[in-house]
Every structure is written in C-alpha cells, then in structure tokens.
Amino acid sequence: MRTSSAGRTSGTEGGLRGRVALVAGGTRGGGRGVAVELGAAGATVYVTGRSTRGGRSPLDRPETIEGTAERVTAAGGLGIPVRVDHAVPAEVRALTERIDAEHGGLDLLVNGVWGGDPSTDWAHPLWEQDLDTGLRMFRNAVETHVVTSRFAVPLLIARGRGLVVEVTDGNTARYRGSFFYDLAKSTVIRLAVAQAAELRPHGIAAVALTPGFLRSEAVLEHFGVTEQTWRTATDPHFAHSESPAYLGRAVVALATDPDVLARSGRALSTGELHREYGFTDADGTRPDFPAYWAEALEGEFGPLGDPL
C-alpha cells in the first residue's frame, strides 16, 4: 500500500476530521501515541487520566493529560484534557455526559488504562504474591475498561457506527510470565470479544490491539536513552522495538477502514496490521516483533502461539 512521506497510510491524513475520540489512559505511553496520531488524522480527542499539571497520579510520573492534549492539537486535531479516574463510575458518567453535550456522540473509544507495571511481580508464582497488590492491579486494568465502556458505548450507538479498541499486551493464549499480569491482559482481549458480539447489530466494531516491544517513556528511562538516542541501547531485542506512534497509526488505520467490522472480535497486533495497511513507525521503519520472535526467540522461549 502507498504511504505518505510522513509514513502514514495514504488517505489517513485528515481522514478522521469531524470525528470524536475518547482515549482513556492517554497520559503517556501507548495511549499518548494513539491520541497524537488520531490528532494527526484530524480527530477531536478527549484525553483522560489522573496525571495533570495540578497533581500526579500514584505512578508519580511527569507526563500529563494536558501535555498529551497539546500534542494532539499541534499534530492537527483538537486535544481536550479531562481529569478522570476511570475506576469511579460517577466521574466517567460525567465525562460521557460532557462529550454528548458538546458533540452529540462518539466515534471511537480507546480503552488504554493500565498503570500496572510497578505492581507486576515477575519473580513469584500466585501463591507467593501479595494478594492485595495483584487484585488492585487487575481491577485497575480491567474494571476501568468495563466502567468506561458502560458509559461511552451508548454514545457510539447514537452515531450508528464506530470502533472500540481494547489495548492489551499479546494477542495469543501464551502465558505472559506473571499470574495477575497475564490475567489482566488476557481478560482485556475477552472484553473486546464480548463487546464485539453485542455491538455488531449496531454496526460498531470492537477489537483488542497489542503493540510489540513498546518504547514508552518508562522503558526509555530503563534503558537510559531517549526517543532520539534509543538505538544506542545495547539490548539486542530493543533494536526491534517500536514507538508509541506505531500503535497510534494502527488505530488510525482501523478507524479509517470502512470494512473494520470484518475484524470485529479479533485480537490484533501492530506487527500484523502494518503489513495490511502499509503504515510505518515515526522513523519510517516497520517493526514486526512477532516476526522477530519467530526468528530469534522461539527456539529459547517457544512459539508465541496463534492469534486469538
């Protein structure tokens, strides 16, 4: 497929002009990447999360919803930051009532709330993990998505079209290395399956979507690099990583696909979608971590498995 000089699929620039999106968990990482790329496609994007310039979330990181919204606007869309705790139904209800009042509906919902990395115990099996920490992580990663869809989906139905994207990690049945982490990420895929079944009669698609090795702000800090210098990191796997923009461009490709309903209920990956839609990462490359796994890591760790 032909791509523009900016590396986006031809026809997506401005392809979401007049469309309204909600990116829940858009403060940083993949959520920020999705929000900015939606802006580059012309969308109005409500960017939500708990980190604002007036106060940080428990993650205590510097990224804010205002910072993301400004990037959305600079990219060509309109970014609207709204401080929302998606675990609190009343706050999500107020958010969706505001969107309805201002725009009369919603075209795209991206459920990207996560924040569980610091709580993930990679070293111990279930029976040796702290139960409160694990359950809290699961609730934050799954219940927030349920609450958000409960109040946002009616706005999609009001439009009679649209897309729900559940952001996860991995799109196969392979165990992800930690009990609560695996439970959360695999459950998010099931949320997409269930929503797809219920939304199909309304002409609305729902998919799960995973990035590959994502260069979030925290990952860049872990390797002691920036987005400009990331290639200097010595980890061989990191050389096959992708920027948050790649996930964003995958979402834009899906949101501008008139036949997206044919994909509804599936668990998709950026590595798969770039081959079908032709988008590139911000630097013009086409990372494909599943292909890299099959080539370099399968012998040591086993196959990723077939997509769900």
Side-chain angles (χ1 to χ4, degrees), residues 1-23:
M1 179 176 290
R2 211 163 39 88
T3 58
S4 71
S5 60
R8 298 183 178 92
T9 306
S10 294
T12 61
E13 296 85 356
L16 294 176
R17 188 77 58 191
R19 302 294 179 92
V20 181
L22 165 58
V23 179

Side-chain angles (χ1 to χ4, degrees), residues 127-214:
W127 56 92
E128 295 177 2
Q129 292 196 30
D130 181 76
L131 186 59
D132 287 342
T133 300
L135 290 175
R136 185 168 58 251
M137 183 184 77
F138 179 81
R139 291 191 200 96
N140 193 64
V142 175
E143 290 187 13
T144 55
H145 292 217
V146 174
V147 170
T148 304
S149 286
R150 166 62 182 81
F151 293 107
V153 160
L155 302 188
L156 294 167
I157 293 174
R159 285 278 205 263
R161 64 170 189 259
L163 172 65
V164 177
V165 177
E166 293 284 347
V167 180
T168 186
D169 179 18
N171 67 333
T172 75
R174 180 184 177 84
Y175 178 59
R176 292 163 176 78
S178 177
F179 180 88
F180 287 104
Y181 185 93
D182 180 81
L183 188 63
K185 296 301 185 180
S186 58
T187 302
V188 167
I189 293 176
R190 196 63 194 175
L191 296 184
V193 172
Q195 289 177 89
E198 296 192 349
L199 288 172
R200 183 173 291 275
H202 300 279
I204 298 166
V207 301
L209 178 61
T210 180
F213 193 160
L214 184 75

Side-chain angles (χ1 to χ4, degrees), residues 52 82 109-110 112 146 161 192 257 263:
T52 72
V82 185
L109 167 62
V110 180
V146 174
R161 64 170 189 259
D257 184 350
R263 300 180 186 273

Side-chain angles (χ1 to χ4, degrees), residues 4-297:
S4 71
S5 60
R8 298 183 178 92
T9 306
S10 294
T12 61
E13 296 85 356
L16 294 176
R17 188 77 58 191
R19 302 294 179 92
V20 181
L22 165 58
V23 179
T27 312
R28 61 184 66 84
R32 171 171 279 188
V34 170
V36 173
E37 290 301 318
L38 290 173
T44 294
V45 185
Y46 284 82
V47 180
T48 64
R50 296 178 295 172
S51 295
T52 72
R53 287 175 179 156
R56 295 186 178 187
S57 76
L59 287 179
D60 195 28
R61 289 196 54 84
E63 301 85 19
T64 65
I65 55 174
E66 294 92 346
T68 299
E70 288 169 359
R71 295 187 185 195
V72 171
T73 301
L78 174 62
I80 304 173
V82 185
R83 199 272 180 201
V84 177
D85 184 340
H86 285 265
V88 181
E91 293 189 21
V92 179
R93 183 195 293 272
L95 166 68
T96 56
E97 288 176 349
R98 173 179 170 177
I99 295 172
D100 193 31
E102 293 176 351
H103 295 283
L106 189 66
D107 300 288
L108 173 64
L109 167 62
V110 180
N111 272 324
V113 175
W114 166 232
D117 287 336
S119 301
T120 303
D121 185 342
W122 298 104
H124 300 96
L126 166 63
W127 56 92
E128 295 177 2
Q129 292 196 30
D130 181 76
L131 186 59
D132 287 342
T133 300
L135 290 175
R136 185 168 58 251
M137 183 184 77
F138 179 81
R139 291 191 200 96
N140 193 64
V142 175
E143 290 187 13
T144 55
H145 292 217
V146 174
V147 170
T148 304
S149 286
R150 166 62 182 81
F151 293 107
V153 160
L155 302 188
L156 294 167
I157 293 174
R159 285 278 205 263
R161 64 170 189 259
L163 172 65
V164 177
V165 177
E166 293 284 347
V167 180
T168 186
D169 179 18
N171 67 333
T172 75
R174 180 184 177 84
Y175 178 59
R176 292 163 176 78
S178 177
F179 180 88
F180 287 104
Y181 185 93
D182 180 81
L183 188 63
K185 296 301 185 180
S186 58
T187 302
V188 167
I189 293 176
R190 196 63 194 175
L191 296 184
V193 172
Q195 289 177 89
E198 296 192 349
L199 288 172
R200 183 173 291 275
H202 300 279
I204 298 166
V207 301
L209 178 61
T210 180
F213 193 160
L214 184 75
R215 293 194 301 274
S216 67
E217 296 86 352
V219 168
L220 290 169
E221 288 179 9
H222 172 77
F223 284 99
V225 294
T226 67
E227 186 55 35
Q228 290 70 44
T229 65
W230 71 271
R231 291 187 181 277
T232 64
T234 58
D235 185 290
H237 309 317
F238 195 53
H240 299 271
S241 62
E242 60 198 58
S243 80
Y246 204 47
L247 180 66
R249 292 178 180 185
V251 171
V252 170
L254 290 167
T256 54
D257 184 350
D259 298 318
V260 68
L261 198 61
R263 300 180 186 273
S264 194
R266 292 176 53 191
L268 308 169
S269 72
T270 54
E272 166 193 359
L273 293 179
H274 86 83
R275 298 184 222 117
E276 301 185 33
Y277 289 111
F279 59 85
T280 70
D281 205 342
D283 61 0
T285 62
R286 290 185 171 89
D288 192 334
F289 201 75
Y292 172 68
W293 182 288
E295 176 185 348
L297 301 177

